[in-house]
Coordinates of all heavy atoms in Angstrom, one line a residue:
M1 N -61.7 29.8 -4.8 CA -60.4 29.3 -4.3 C -59.6 28.7 -5.4 O -60.1 27.9 -6.2 CB -60.7 28.3 -3.2 CG -59.5 28.1 -2.3 SD -60.1 27.0 -1.0 CE -58.9 27.4 0.2
S2 N -58.3 29.2 -5.5 CA -57.5 28.7 -6.6 C -56.8 27.4 -6.2 O -56.5 27.2 -5.1 CB -56.5 29.7 -7.1 OG -55.6 30.0 -6.0
P3 N -56.6 26.5 -7.2 CA -55.9 25.3 -6.9 C -54.5 25.5 -6.5 O -53.8 26.4 -7.0 CB -56.0 24.4 -8.1 CG -56.3 25.4 -9.2 CD -57.0 26.6 -8.6
T4 N -54.0 24.8 -5.5 CA -52.6 25.0 -5.1 C -51.7 24.1 -5.9 O -52.0 22.9 -6.2 CB -52.5 24.5 -3.6 OG1 -53.4 25.2 -2.8 CG2 -51.1 24.7 -3.1
T5 N -50.6 24.7 -6.4 CA -49.7 24.0 -7.2 C -48.6 23.5 -6.3 O -48.0 24.2 -5.5 CB -49.0 24.9 -8.3 OG1 -50.1 25.6 -8.9 CG2 -48.2 24.1 -9.2
V6 N -48.4 22.2 -6.4 CA -47.3 21.6 -5.6 C -46.2 21.2 -6.5 O -46.3 20.5 -7.5 CB -47.9 20.3 -4.9 CG1 -46.8 19.6 -4.1 CG2 -49.1 20.6 -4.0
K7 N -45.0 21.8 -6.1 CA -43.8 21.5 -6.9 C -43.1 20.3 -6.2 O -42.9 20.3 -5.0 CB -42.9 22.7 -6.9 CG -43.5 23.8 -7.8 CD -42.4 24.9 -7.9 CE -43.0 26.0 -8.8 NZ -42.0 27.1 -8.9
P8 N -42.5 19.5 -7.0 CA -41.8 18.4 -6.4 C -40.5 19.0 -5.8 O -39.9 19.9 -6.4 CB -41.5 17.4 -7.6 CG -41.7 18.3 -8.8 CD -42.6 19.3 -8.5
K9 N -40.1 18.4 -4.7 CA -38.8 18.8 -4.1 C -37.7 18.4 -5.0 O -37.6 17.3 -5.4 CB -38.6 18.2 -2.7 CG -39.5 18.8 -1.7 CD -39.1 18.2 -0.3 CE -40.0 18.9 0.8 NZ -39.6 18.3 2.1
T10 N -36.7 19.3 -5.2 CA -35.5 18.9 -5.9 C -34.4 18.7 -4.9 O -34.2 19.6 -4.0 CB -35.1 20.0 -7.0 OG1 -35.0 21.2 -6.3 CG2 -36.2 20.1 -8.1
S11 N -33.7 17.6 -5.0 CA -32.6 17.4 -4.1 C -31.3 17.1 -5.0 O -31.4 16.5 -6.0 CB -32.8 16.3 -3.2 OG -33.0 15.1 -3.9
T12 N -30.2 17.7 -4.5 CA -29.0 17.5 -5.2 C -28.3 16.4 -4.5 O -28.0 16.4 -3.3 CB -28.2 18.8 -5.1 OG1 -29.0 19.9 -5.6 CG2 -26.9 18.6 -6.0
K13 N -27.9 15.4 -5.3 CA -27.1 14.3 -4.7 C -25.7 14.5 -5.1 O -25.4 14.7 -6.2 CB -27.6 12.9 -5.3 CG -28.9 12.5 -4.6 CD -29.1 11.0 -4.9 CE -30.3 10.5 -4.1 NZ -30.5 9.1 -4.2
I14 N -24.8 14.4 -4.1 CA -23.4 14.6 -4.3 C -22.9 13.2 -4.5 O -23.0 12.3 -3.6 CB -22.7 15.3 -3.2 CG1 -23.3 16.7 -3.0 CG2 -21.2 15.4 -3.4 CD1 -22.9 17.5 -1.8
K15 N -22.2 13.0 -5.6 CA -21.6 11.6 -5.8 C -20.1 11.7 -5.4 O -19.4 12.4 -5.9 CB -21.7 11.3 -7.3 CG -21.7 9.8 -7.5 CD -22.1 9.5 -8.9 CE -22.2 8.0 -9.0 NZ -22.7 7.6 -10.3
L16 N -19.9 11.0 -4.3 CA -18.5 11.0 -3.8 C -17.7 9.9 -4.5 O -18.2 8.8 -4.7 CB -18.5 10.7 -2.3 CG -19.1 11.7 -1.4 CD1 -19.1 11.3 0.1 CD2 -18.4 13.0 -1.5
Q17 N -16.6 10.3 -5.0 CA -15.7 9.3 -5.7 C -14.7 8.8 -4.7 O -14.1 9.6 -4.0 CB -15.1 10.0 -6.9 CG -14.8 9.1 -8.0 CD -14.3 9.9 -9.2 OE1 -13.9 11.1 -9.1 NE2 -14.2 9.3 -10.3
R18 N -14.5 7.5 -4.8 CA -13.4 6.9 -3.9 C -12.1 7.4 -4.4 O -11.8 7.5 -5.6 CB -13.5 5.4 -4.0 CG -14.6 4.9 -3.1 CD -14.3 3.4 -2.9 NE -15.1 3.0 -1.7 CZ -15.4 1.7 -1.5 NH1 -15.1 0.8 -2.3 NH2 -16.1 1.4 -0.4
P19 N -11.1 7.6 -3.5 CA -9.8 8.0 -4.0 C -9.1 6.8 -4.7 O -9.4 5.7 -4.3 CB -9.1 8.4 -2.7 CG -9.8 7.7 -1.6 CD -11.2 7.6 -2.1
P20 N -8.3 7.2 -5.6 CA -7.6 6.1 -6.4 C -6.7 5.3 -5.4 O -6.1 5.9 -4.5 CB -6.8 6.8 -7.4 CG -6.7 8.2 -7.0 CD -7.9 8.5 -6.1
L21 N -6.6 4.0 -5.6 CA -5.7 3.2 -4.7 C -4.4 2.9 -5.4 O -4.3 2.8 -6.6 CB -6.5 1.9 -4.4 CG -7.7 2.1 -3.6 CD1 -8.5 0.7 -3.5 CD2 -7.5 2.7 -2.3
Y22 N -3.4 2.7 -4.5 CA -2.0 2.5 -5.0 C -1.5 1.2 -4.3 O -1.7 1.0 -3.1 CB -1.1 3.6 -4.6 CG -1.3 4.8 -5.6 CD1 -2.4 5.6 -5.6 CD2 -0.3 5.1 -6.5 CE1 -2.6 6.6 -6.5 CE2 -0.4 6.1 -7.4 CZ -1.6 6.9 -7.4 OH -1.7 7.9 -8.3
K23 N -0.8 0.4 -5.1 CA -0.1 -0.8 -4.6 C 1.2 -0.4 -4.0 O 2.0 0.4 -4.6 CB 0.1 -1.8 -5.7 CG -1.2 -2.2 -6.4 CD -0.9 -3.3 -7.4 CE -0.6 -2.6 -8.7 NZ -0.6 -3.5 -9.9
V24 N 1.6 -1.1 -2.9 CA 2.9 -1.0 -2.4 C 3.7 -2.2 -2.8 O 3.1 -3.3 -2.6 CB 3.0 -0.8 -0.9 CG1 4.4 -0.8 -0.3 CG2 2.3 0.4 -0.4
I25 N 4.8 -2.1 -3.5 CA 5.5 -3.3 -4.0 C 6.9 -3.4 -3.4 O 7.7 -2.4 -3.3 CB 5.6 -3.2 -5.5 CG1 4.2 -3.0 -6.1 CG2 6.4 -4.3 -6.1 CD1 4.2 -2.5 -7.6
L26 N 7.2 -4.6 -2.9 CA 8.5 -4.9 -2.4 C 9.4 -5.5 -3.6 O 8.9 -6.4 -4.3 CB 8.4 -6.0 -1.3 CG 9.7 -6.7 -0.9 CD1 10.8 -5.8 -0.4 CD2 9.4 -7.8 0.1
L27 N 10.5 -4.9 -3.8 CA 11.4 -5.3 -4.9 C 12.5 -6.2 -4.2 O 13.1 -5.8 -3.2 CB 12.0 -4.1 -5.6 CG 11.0 -3.2 -6.3 CD1 11.7 -2.1 -7.0 CD2 10.1 -4.0 -7.3
N28 N 12.8 -7.3 -4.9 CA 13.8 -8.2 -4.3 C 15.2 -7.7 -4.6 O 15.4 -7.0 -5.6 CB 13.7 -9.6 -4.9 CG 14.6 -10.6 -4.3 OD1 14.7 -10.7 -3.1 ND2 15.4 -11.3 -5.2
D29 N 16.1 -7.9 -3.7 CA 17.6 -7.7 -3.9 C 18.3 -8.8 -3.3 O 17.8 -9.6 -2.6 CB 18.0 -6.3 -3.3 CG 17.9 -6.3 -1.8 OD1 18.9 -7.0 -1.2 OD2 17.0 -5.7 -1.2
D30 N 19.6 -8.9 -3.7 CA 20.4 -10.1 -3.3 C 21.2 -9.8 -2.0 O 22.1 -10.6 -1.6 CB 21.3 -10.5 -4.4 CG 20.5 -11.1 -5.6 OD1 19.5 -11.6 -5.4 OD2 21.0 -10.9 -6.7
Y31 N 21.0 -8.7 -1.4 CA 21.8 -8.3 -0.2 C 21.1 -8.1 1.1 O 21.7 -8.4 2.1 CB 22.5 -7.0 -0.5 CG 23.3 -7.0 -1.8 CD1 22.8 -6.6 -3.0 CD2 24.6 -7.7 -1.8 CE1 23.6 -6.7 -4.2 CE2 25.3 -7.8 -3.0 CZ 24.8 -7.3 -4.2 OH 25.5 -7.4 -5.4
T32 N 19.9 -7.7 1.1 CA 19.1 -7.5 2.4 C 18.8 -8.9 3.0 O 18.2 -9.7 2.3 CB 17.9 -6.7 2.1 OG1 18.2 -5.6 1.4 CG2 17.2 -6.4 3.4
P33 N 19.2 -9.1 4.3 CA 18.9 -10.4 4.9 C 17.4 -10.6 5.0 O 16.6 -9.7 5.2 CB 19.5 -10.3 6.3 CG 20.5 -9.2 6.2 CD 19.9 -8.3 5.1
R34 N 17.0 -11.9 4.8 CA 15.5 -12.2 4.8 C 14.9 -11.8 6.1 O 13.8 -11.4 6.2 CB 15.4 -13.7 4.5 CG 15.7 -14.1 3.1 CD 15.6 -15.6 2.9 NE 15.9 -16.0 1.6 CZ 15.7 -17.2 1.1 NH1 15.1 -18.1 1.8 NH2 16.0 -17.5 -0.1
E35 N 15.6 -12.1 7.2 CA 15.1 -11.8 8.5 C 14.7 -10.3 8.7 O 13.8 -9.9 9.3 CB 16.0 -12.2 9.7 CG 16.4 -13.7 9.7 CD 17.4 -14.1 8.6 OE1 18.2 -13.2 8.1 OE2 17.4 -15.2 8.2
F36 N 15.6 -9.5 8.1 CA 15.4 -8.0 8.2 C 14.2 -7.6 7.4 O 13.4 -6.8 7.8 CB 16.7 -7.3 7.7 CG 16.5 -5.8 7.8 CD1 16.7 -5.2 9.0 CD2 16.2 -5.0 6.7 CE1 16.6 -3.8 9.2 CE2 16.0 -3.6 6.8 CZ 16.2 -3.0 8.1
V37 N 14.0 -8.2 6.2 CA 12.8 -7.9 5.4 C 11.5 -8.3 6.2 O 10.6 -7.5 6.2 CB 12.9 -8.7 4.0 CG1 11.6 -8.4 3.2 CG2 14.1 -8.2 3.2
V38 N 11.6 -9.4 6.8 CA 10.4 -9.9 7.6 C 10.1 -8.9 8.7 O 9.0 -8.5 9.0 CB 10.6 -11.3 8.1 CG1 9.5 -11.7 9.1 CG2 10.6 -12.3 7.0
M39 N 11.2 -8.4 9.4 CA 11.0 -7.5 10.5 C 10.4 -6.2 10.0 O 9.5 -5.6 10.6 CB 12.4 -7.2 11.1 CG 12.4 -6.3 12.3 SD 12.4 -4.5 12.1 CE 13.9 -4.3 11.2
V40 N 10.9 -5.7 8.8 CA 10.3 -4.4 8.2 C 8.8 -4.6 7.9 O 8.0 -3.8 8.1 CB 11.1 -4.0 7.0 CG1 10.4 -2.9 6.3 CG2 12.5 -3.5 7.4
L41 N 8.5 -5.7 7.3 CA 7.1 -6.0 6.9 C 6.2 -6.0 8.2 O 5.1 -5.5 8.1 CB 7.0 -7.3 6.1 CG 7.6 -7.3 4.7 CD1 7.6 -8.7 4.2 CD2 6.9 -6.4 3.8
K42 N 6.7 -6.6 9.2 CA 5.9 -6.7 10.4 C 5.8 -5.3 11.1 O 4.7 -4.9 11.5 CB 6.6 -7.7 11.4 CG 6.5 -9.1 11.0 CD 7.4 -10.0 11.8 CE 7.2 -10.0 13.3 NZ 8.1 -10.9 14.0
A43 N 6.9 -4.5 11.1 CA 6.9 -3.2 11.7 C 6.1 -2.2 10.9 O 5.2 -1.5 11.5 CB 8.3 -2.7 11.9
V44 N 6.3 -2.1 9.6 CA 5.7 -1.0 8.8 C 4.3 -1.4 8.3 O 3.4 -0.6 8.3 CB 6.6 -0.6 7.6 CG1 5.9 0.4 6.8 CG2 7.9 -0.2 8.2
F45 N 4.1 -2.7 8.0 CA 2.8 -3.1 7.3 C 2.0 -3.9 8.3 O 1.0 -4.5 7.9 CB 3.1 -3.8 6.0 CG 3.8 -3.0 5.1 CD1 5.2 -3.0 4.9 CD2 3.1 -2.1 4.2 CE1 5.9 -2.2 4.0 CE2 3.8 -1.2 3.3 CZ 5.2 -1.3 3.2
R46 N 2.4 -4.1 9.5 CA 1.7 -4.7 10.6 C 1.3 -6.2 10.2 O 0.1 -6.6 10.5 CB 0.4 -3.9 11.0 CG 0.8 -2.6 11.6 CD -0.4 -1.7 11.8 NE 0.0 -0.4 12.4 CZ 0.4 0.6 11.8 NH1 0.5 0.6 10.5 NH2 0.7 1.8 12.4
M47 N 2.2 -6.9 9.6 CA 1.9 -8.3 9.2 C 2.3 -9.2 10.3 O 3.3 -8.9 11.1 CB 2.8 -8.6 8.0 CG 2.3 -8.0 6.7 SD 3.4 -8.5 5.3 CE 2.6 -7.5 4.0
G48 N 1.7 -10.3 10.4 CA 2.2 -11.4 11.3 C 3.4 -12.1 10.8 O 3.8 -11.9 9.6
E49 N 4.0 -12.8 11.6 CA 5.3 -13.5 11.2 C 5.1 -14.4 9.9 O 5.9 -14.3 9.0 CB 5.8 -14.4 12.4 CG 7.1 -15.1 12.1 CD 8.3 -14.2 12.3 OE1 8.2 -13.3 13.1 OE2 9.3 -14.5 11.6
E50 N 4.0 -15.2 9.9 CA 3.8 -16.1 8.8 C 3.5 -15.3 7.5 O 4.2 -15.7 6.5 CB 2.6 -17.0 9.1 CG 2.9 -18.4 9.5 CD 1.7 -19.3 9.6 OE1 0.9 -19.4 8.7 OE2 1.5 -19.7 10.8
T51 N 2.7 -14.3 7.6 CA 2.4 -13.5 6.4 C 3.7 -12.9 5.8 O 3.9 -12.8 4.6 CB 1.3 -12.5 6.6 OG1 0.2 -13.2 7.1 CG2 0.9 -11.8 5.4
A52 N 4.4 -12.2 6.8 CA 5.6 -11.5 6.4 C 6.6 -12.4 5.7 O 7.2 -12.1 4.7 CB 6.2 -10.8 7.6
S53 N 6.7 -13.6 6.2 CA 7.7 -14.6 5.7 C 7.3 -15.0 4.3 O 8.1 -15.1 3.4 CB 7.8 -15.9 6.6 OG 8.4 -15.5 7.8
R54 N 5.9 -15.2 4.1 CA 5.4 -15.6 2.8 C 5.6 -14.5 1.8 O 6.0 -14.8 0.6 CB 3.9 -16.0 3.0 CG 3.4 -16.8 1.8 CD 2.0 -17.4 2.1 NE 1.0 -16.4 2.5 CZ 0.4 -16.4 3.7 NH1 0.7 -17.2 4.6 NH2 -0.4 -15.4 4.0
V55 N 5.4 -13.3 2.2 CA 5.5 -12.2 1.3 C 7.0 -12.0 0.9 O 7.3 -11.8 -0.3 CB 5.0 -10.9 1.9 CG1 5.4 -9.6 1.2 CG2 3.4 -10.9 2.0
M56 N 7.9 -12.1 1.8 CA 9.3 -12.0 1.6 C 9.7 -13.1 0.6 O 10.5 -12.8 -0.4 CB 10.1 -12.1 2.9 CG 11.6 -12.1 2.7 SD 12.3 -13.7 2.4 CE 11.8 -14.6 3.9
L57 N 9.3 -14.3 0.8 CA 9.7 -15.4 -0.1 C 9.1 -15.2 -1.5 O 9.8 -15.5 -2.5 CB 9.2 -16.8 0.5 CG 10.1 -17.4 1.5 CD1 9.5 -18.7 2.1 CD2 11.5 -17.7 0.9
T58 N 7.9 -14.7 -1.6 CA 7.3 -14.4 -2.9 C 8.2 -13.4 -3.7 O 8.4 -13.6 -4.8 CB 5.8 -13.9 -2.8 OG1 5.1 -14.9 -2.1 CG2 5.2 -13.7 -4.1
A59 N 8.5 -12.3 -3.0 CA 9.4 -11.3 -3.6 C 10.7 -11.9 -4.0 O 11.3 -11.6 -5.1 CB 9.6 -10.1 -2.7
H60 N 11.3 -12.8 -3.2 CA 12.6 -13.4 -3.4 C 12.5 -14.3 -4.7 O 13.4 -14.3 -5.5 CB 13.0 -14.2 -2.2 CG 14.3 -14.9 -2.4 ND1 15.5 -14.3 -2.4 CD2 14.5 -16.3 -2.5 CE1 16.5 -15.2 -2.6 NE2 15.9 -16.4 -2.6
Q61 N 11.4 -15.1 -4.8 CA 11.3 -16.0 -5.9 C 10.9 -15.3 -7.2 O 11.3 -15.7 -8.3 CB 10.3 -17.1 -5.6 CG 10.8 -18.0 -4.4 CD 9.7 -18.8 -3.8 OE1 8.5 -18.6 -4.0 NE2 10.1 -19.8 -3.0
K62 N 10.0 -14.3 -7.1 CA 9.5 -13.7 -8.3 C 10.1 -12.3 -8.7 O 9.8 -11.8 -9.7 CB 7.9 -13.5 -8.2 CG 7.2 -14.9 -8.0 CD 5.7 -14.7 -8.0 CE 5.1 -16.1 -7.9 NZ 3.7 -16.1 -8.4
G63 N 10.9 -11.8 -7.8 CA 11.5 -10.5 -8.0 C 10.8 -9.3 -7.5 O 11.4 -8.3 -7.3
A64 N 9.5 -9.5 -7.2 CA 8.7 -8.4 -6.7 C 7.4 -9.0 -6.1 O 7.0 -10.1 -6.5 CB 8.4 -7.3 -7.7
C65 N 6.8 -8.3 -5.1 CA 5.6 -8.7 -4.5 C 4.7 -7.5 -4.1 O 5.3 -6.6 -3.5 CB 5.9 -9.7 -3.3 SG 4.4 -10.4 -2.6
V66 N 3.4 -7.5 -4.4 CA 2.6 -6.5 -3.9 C 2.3 -6.8 -2.4 O 1.9 -7.9 -2.0 CB 1.2 -6.5 -4.7 CG1 0.2 -5.5 -4.0 CG2 1.4 -6.2 -6.1
I67 N 2.6 -5.8 -1.6 CA 2.5 -5.9 -0.1 C 1.1 -5.6 0.3 O 0.5 -6.3 1.1 CB 3.4 -4.9 0.5 CG1 4.9 -5.0 0.1 CG2 3.3 -5.0 2.1 CD1 5.5 -6.3 0.4
A68 N 0.6 -4.4 -0.1 CA -0.7 -4.0 0.3 C -1.2 -2.9 -0.7 O -0.5 -2.5 -1.5 CB -0.6 -3.4 1.7
V69 N -2.5 -2.5 -0.5 CA -3.1 -1.5 -1.3 C -3.7 -0.4 -0.4 O -4.4 -0.7 0.5 CB -4.2 -2.1 -2.3 CG1 -4.9 -1.0 -3.1 CG2 -3.6 -3.1 -3.1
Y70 N -3.3 0.8 -0.6 CA -3.8 2.0 0.2 C -4.1 3.1 -0.7 O -3.9 3.1 -1.9 CB -2.6 2.4 1.2 CG -2.1 1.4 2.1 CD1 -0.8 0.8 1.8 CD2 -2.8 1.0 3.2 CE1 -0.3 -0.1 2.7 CE2 -2.2 0.1 4.1 CZ -1.0 -0.5 3.8 OH -0.5 -1.4 4.7
T71 N -4.6 4.2 0.0 CA -4.7 5.5 -0.8 C -3.3 5.9 -1.1 O -2.3 5.5 -0.4 CB -5.5 6.5 0.1 OG1 -4.8 6.7 1.3 CG2 -7.0 6.1 0.3
R72 N -3.2 6.9 -2.0 CA -1.8 7.3 -2.4 C -0.9 7.7 -1.3 O 0.2 7.3 -1.2 CB -2.0 8.4 -3.5 CG -0.7 8.8 -4.0 CD -0.9 9.8 -5.1 NE 0.4 10.1 -5.8 CZ 0.5 10.9 -6.8 NH1 -0.5 11.4 -7.4 NH2 1.7 11.1 -7.4
D73 N -1.4 8.6 -0.4 CA -0.6 9.2 0.7 C -0.1 8.1 1.6 O 1.1 8.1 1.9 CB -1.4 10.2 1.5 CG -1.6 11.5 0.8 OD1 -1.0 11.7 -0.3 OD2 -2.4 12.4 1.3
V74 N -1.0 7.2 1.9 CA -0.6 6.1 2.9 C 0.4 5.2 2.2 O 1.4 4.8 2.8 CB -1.8 5.3 3.4 CG1 -1.4 4.1 4.2 CG2 -2.8 6.2 4.1
A75 N 0.1 4.8 0.9 CA 1.1 3.9 0.2 C 2.4 4.5 0.1 O 3.4 3.9 0.4 CB 0.5 3.6 -1.2
E76 N 2.5 5.8 -0.3 CA 3.8 6.5 -0.5 C 4.5 6.6 0.9 O 5.8 6.4 0.9 CB 3.6 7.8 -1.1 CG 3.3 7.6 -2.6 CD 3.0 8.9 -3.4 OE1 3.0 10.0 -2.7 OE2 2.9 8.9 -4.6
T77 N 3.8 6.9 1.9 CA 4.4 7.1 3.2 C 5.0 5.7 3.7 O 6.1 5.7 4.2 CB 3.4 7.6 4.3 OG1 2.9 8.9 3.8 CG2 4.0 7.7 5.7
R78 N 4.2 4.7 3.6 CA 4.7 3.4 4.1 C 5.8 2.9 3.3 O 6.8 2.3 3.8 CB 3.5 2.3 4.1 CG 2.4 2.7 5.1 CD 2.2 1.7 6.1 NE 1.2 2.2 7.0 CZ 0.1 1.5 7.4 NH1 -0.1 0.3 6.9 NH2 -0.7 2.0 8.3
A79 N 5.8 3.1 2.0 CA 6.9 2.6 1.1 C 8.2 3.3 1.5 O 9.2 2.7 1.5 CB 6.5 2.8 -0.4
K80 N 8.1 4.6 1.7 CA 9.2 5.4 2.0 C 9.8 5.0 3.4 O 11.0 4.9 3.6 CB 8.9 6.9 2.0 CG 10.0 7.8 2.3 CD 9.6 9.3 2.2 CE 10.9 10.2 2.3 NZ 10.7 11.3 3.2
E81 N 8.9 4.8 4.3 CA 9.3 4.4 5.7 C 10.1 3.1 5.7 O 11.1 2.9 6.3 CB 8.1 4.3 6.6 CG 8.4 4.0 8.0 CD 7.2 3.8 8.9 OE1 6.0 4.2 8.5 OE2 7.3 3.3 10.0
A82 N 9.5 2.1 4.9 CA 10.1 0.8 4.8 C 11.5 0.9 4.1 O 12.5 0.2 4.5 CB 9.2 -0.2 4.1
T83 N 11.6 1.6 3.1 CA 12.8 1.8 2.3 C 13.9 2.5 3.2 O 15.1 2.1 3.2 CB 12.6 2.6 1.0 OG1 11.7 1.9 0.2 CG2 13.9 2.8 0.2
E84 N 13.5 3.5 4.0 CA 14.4 4.2 4.9 C 14.9 3.3 6.0 O 16.1 3.4 6.3 CB 13.7 5.4 5.5 CG 13.3 6.5 4.6 CD 14.5 7.2 3.9 OE1 15.5 7.4 4.6 OE2 14.4 7.6 2.8
L85 N 14.2 2.4 6.5 CA 14.6 1.4 7.5 C 15.8 0.6 6.9 O 16.8 0.4 7.6 CB 13.5 0.5 8.0 CG 12.5 1.1 8.9 CD1 11.3 0.1 9.2 CD2 13.2 1.4 10.2
G86 N 15.6 0.2 5.7 CA 16.7 -0.6 5.0 C 18.0 0.3 4.8 O 19.1 -0.1 5.1
K87 N 17.8 1.5 4.3 CA 18.8 2.4 4.1 C 19.6 2.7 5.4 O 20.8 2.8 5.3 CB 18.3 3.7 3.5 CG 19.4 4.6 2.8 CD 18.8 5.9 2.3 CE 17.9 5.7 1.1 NZ 17.4 6.9 0.5
A88 N 18.9 2.9 6.5 CA 19.5 3.2 7.8 C 20.5 2.1 8.2 O 21.5 2.3 8.9 CB 18.5 3.4 8.8
K89 N 20.2 0.8 7.7 CA 21.1 -0.3 8.0 C 22.1 -0.6 6.9 O 22.8 -1.6 7.0 CB 20.2 -1.6 8.3 CG 19.4 -1.5 9.5 CD 20.2 -1.8 10.8 CE 19.3 -1.8 12.0 NZ 20.0 -2.0 13.2
G90 N 22.1 0.2 5.9 CA 23.0 0.0 4.8 C 22.6 -1.0 3.8 O 23.3 -1.5 2.9
Y91 N 21.2 -1.4 3.8 CA 20.7 -2.4 2.8 C 20.0 -1.7 1.7 O 19.5 -0.6 1.8 CB 19.7 -3.3 3.5 CG 20.3 -4.1 4.6 CD1 19.6 -4.1 5.9 CD2 21.4 -4.8 4.5 CE1 20.1 -4.9 6.9 CE2 22.0 -5.6 5.5 CZ 21.3 -5.6 6.7 OH 21.8 -6.4 7.8
P92 N 20.1 -2.3 0.5 CA 19.4 -1.7 -0.7 C 17.9 -2.1 -0.7 O 17.3 -2.0 -1.8 CB 20.1 -2.3 -1.9 CG 20.6 -3.7 -1.4 CD 20.9 -3.5 0.1
L93 N 17.3 -2.4 0.4 CA 15.9 -2.8 0.4 C 15.0 -1.7 -0.2 O 15.3 -0.5 0.1 CB 15.5 -3.0 1.9 CG 14.0 -3.3 2.2 CD1 13.7 -4.7 1.6 CD2 13.7 -3.3 3.7
F94 N 14.1 -2.0 -1.1 CA 13.4 -0.9 -1.8 C 11.9 -1.3 -2.0 O 11.6 -2.4 -2.4 CB 14.0 -0.7 -3.2 CG 13.5 0.6 -3.8 CD1 13.9 1.9 -3.3 CD2 12.6 0.5 -4.8 CE1 13.3 3.0 -3.9 CE2 12.0 1.7 -5.4 CZ 12.4 2.9 -4.9
F95 N 11.1 -0.4 -1.6 CA 9.6 -0.5 -1.8 C 9.2 0.6 -2.7 O 9.7 1.7 -2.6 CB 8.9 -0.4 -0.4 CG 9.1 -1.5 0.5 CD1 10.2 -1.5 1.2 CD2 8.1 -2.5 0.7 CE1 10.5 -2.6 2.1 CE2 8.4 -3.5 1.5 CZ 9.5 -3.6 2.3
T96 N 8.3 0.3 -3.6 CA 7.8 1.4 -4.5 C 6.3 1.3 -4.6 O 5.6 0.4 -4.0 CB 8.4 1.1 -6.0 OG1 8.0 2.3 -6.8 CG2 7.9 -0.1 -6.6
T97 N 5.7 2.3 -5.2 CA 4.2 2.3 -5.3 C 3.8 2.5 -6.8 O 4.6 3.0 -7.6 CB 3.6 3.5 -4.5 OG1 4.1 4.7 -5.1 CG2 3.9 3.4 -3.1
E98 N 2.6 2.0 -7.1 CA 2.1 2.3 -8.5 C 0.5 2.2 -8.4 O 0.0 1.5 -7.5 CB 2.6 1.3 -9.5 CG 2.1 -0.1 -9.3 CD 2.8 -1.0 -10.4 OE1 3.9 -1.0 -10.7 OE2 2.0 -1.8 -11.0
P99 N -0.1 2.9 -9.3 CA -1.6 3.0 -9.2 C -2.2 1.5 -9.4 O -1.6 0.8 -10.2 CB -2.0 3.8 -10.4 CG -0.8 4.6 -10.7 CD 0.4 3.8 -10.3
E100 N -3.2 1.3 -8.7 CA -3.9 0.0 -8.9 C -4.8 0.1 -10.1 O -5.5 1.1 -10.3 CB -4.7 -0.4 -7.7 CG -5.3 -1.8 -7.8 CD -6.1 -2.2 -6.6 OE1 -6.9 -1.4 -6.1 OE2 -5.9 -3.3 -6.1
E101 N -4.8 -0.9 -11.0 CA -5.6 -0.8 -12.2 C -7.0 -1.4 -12.0 O -7.3 -2.3 -11.3 CB -4.9 -1.5 -13.3 CG -3.6 -0.8 -13.7 CD -2.7 -1.7 -14.5 OE1 -3.1 -2.7 -15.0 OE2 -1.5 -1.3 -14.6

């Protein structure tokens, strides 16, 4: 009887890479009413009243504020939606995105 050769099982591991994340940034302007900015933050980014007010004040004082971090598609969609809400009311409210480092 000949000896049986046992070969080790080879398995291929697929390494999934997380999608790159993007920051949504609120840019301050001197025309959009604070209350409107808070309303947009609550509606588009699902923030509570306190958080939205704090974010709006940070952008007001520093010129810009990171709102949230999402995958690229979500970040761009939310930034566009929030900017469009301002544009519909005639405000220069602007949200932008950039890759998270």
